[in-house]
Amino acid sequence: MALRRALSAAGRRWAQRLCSAARGDTIFAVSSGHGRCGVAVIRTSGPGSRGALQSLTGRPELPPPRILALRRIRDPATAEPLDRGLVVWFPGPRSFTGEDCAELHVHGGPAVVSGVLRALGRLPGLRPAEPGEFTRRAFRRGKLDLTAAEGLGDLIRAETEAQRRQALRQMEGELGRLYQRWSETLTQALAHLEAYIDFSEDDNVEEEVLSQVDATVRALEQEIGAHLRDGRRGELLRGGVRAVIAGPPNVGKSSLLNLLCQRPAAIVSPVAGTTRDVVEVALNVGGYPLVLSDTAGLRDATDPVEQEGVSRARDRLRQADLVLAVLDAAAVPTEPAGLGAALGSLLPPATPCILVLNKADLLRGGGGALRDACARGDPLPPATLLSCKTGEGLNHLLELLARQLARLCGDPLAGSPSLTQSRHSLHLGDCAAALARYGRERRRDLGLAAERLRLARRHLGRITGHVGAEDVLDIIFRDFCVGK
């Protein structure tokens, strides 16, 4: 019943949008973000943009397209001056949305912005934009595909250099062009296969055509498979690498979190078992996004609350992309084999890890044996001595972290563009499965084999929005801010 109500509500929303599009509504919004600022950009899109710009400037003539012009901006209803700012006219189709657009660059004080928005709202045919509606209109008019729209959203939300590079690359269409090339390859293979089915009995199509189709499908299946086996690099870079600080109680896990984020995010106490819940912070390390979690000390707890904390810590460990395993440098074996055994009791197998030997300030003689063990590497993961008390070893730890993040996320500018969304992975996986079934069907029934190629092509089209886009538009655009 709840699902039916949700689908019904979604249907009503789509009907309203289609009616709005049919009426030719003009939308407006602040596109430069909210809050007090030096300059605010207010954008309109739709057939009423020309009239809106003429009404607010009080001039029948428009400035030359795509050239800033200084104008006095007034309320058409009262003729009261609202501001003096720059205006730009973007006649369609040479605009972001493909429609007639206008921008008003006004002073960013709340009173000025709200006054201009009220004036626009009183004009006939204009209404406030919904979140992501400008980008939705650009998609509908073919100015960008869904992958580029997702890249734009990621670029707006990017917080690190690597995220910005990946999002910009996707927004500029590299990922969409890759999927479009695959789709065109499938279309050509399907056309040749159908020609063979329809005309081979008349000797108008050579037998070699079928072999060429088979080779094309096999090559494409391998290319898509390699694209899927990228270690989730694009998704990790987009959402942040989830790292967990883990270790026994009282080894300095919360102190390490506070040291890395340079603020008292977690409570620090000499009493073992202080941390009960998961404390999470987002960091930028070497240009890569890191979501770092401090967890309860791992031990056989007797207190029910601490038991829950340990259970949550182990859950986070199982989900982690990277673990910072913290041990007390003054209480661990100094030889690599002993260190490896102590570490193995904490971690899930095959989880990327950095070993942090904290409390290095308590070591006698500078901890030479431990330093040698850390430098030796195998069988240990990357390791470092650290003193959360003095900060000694922090720079080395940050270097190790940056290296691990670079390995997990990769270089966003190198090679083919990476998968960035789980829906891409889902549709590509279905596409690869359809191609694999083509090989099996091909030996039995060419008609069924052709249907597998059509299905594979539909899955590729759903990623870019060329096929069946309606059911994913709400999901993609709902997280855009208003004015984008």
Side-chain angles (χ1 to χ4, degrees), residues 221 224 427-438 440 452 455-456:
E221 184 183 358
I224 292 175
H427 286 306
L428 283 174
D430 290 341
C431 175
L435 294 178
R437 293 192 68 178
Y438 162 84
R440 295 193 291 272
R452 297 304 170 195
L455 182 60

Side-chain angles (χ1 to χ4, degrees), residues 249-296:
N250 239 19
V251 293
K253 298 184 299 301
S254 297
S255 298
L256 175 57
L257 180 79
N258 293 344
L259 181 65
L260 288 171
C261 68
Q262 297 293 295
R263 63 183 176 86
I267 297 173
V268 175
S269 165
V271 178
T274 300
T275 302
R276 303 293 181 91
D277 210 343
V278 176
V279 180
E280 190 174 272
V281 297
L283 300 174
N284 178 348
V285 178
Y288 292 93
L290 180 70
V291 182
L292 187 61
S293 299
D294 179 29
T295 59

Side-chain angles (χ1 to χ4, degrees), residues 403-423:
R403 272 186 235 146
Q404 285 280 32
L405 293 175
R407 186 180 65 80
L408 288 168
C409 296
D411 183 350
L413 299 181
S416 297
S418 298
L419 287 161
T420 59
Q421 306 270 350
S422 57
R423 77 174 193 93

Side-chain angles (χ1 to χ4, degrees), residues 6 52 54 86 99 102 108 117 120 139 143 153-154 187 203 235 387 404 408 422 434:
Q54 292 169 329
L86 298 171
E99 302 176 322
L117 292 177
L120 286 169
F139 165 74
K143 304 296 282 188
D154 290 345
T187 300
D203 294 328
E235 291 183 56
S387 171
Q404 285 280 32
L408 288 168
S422 57

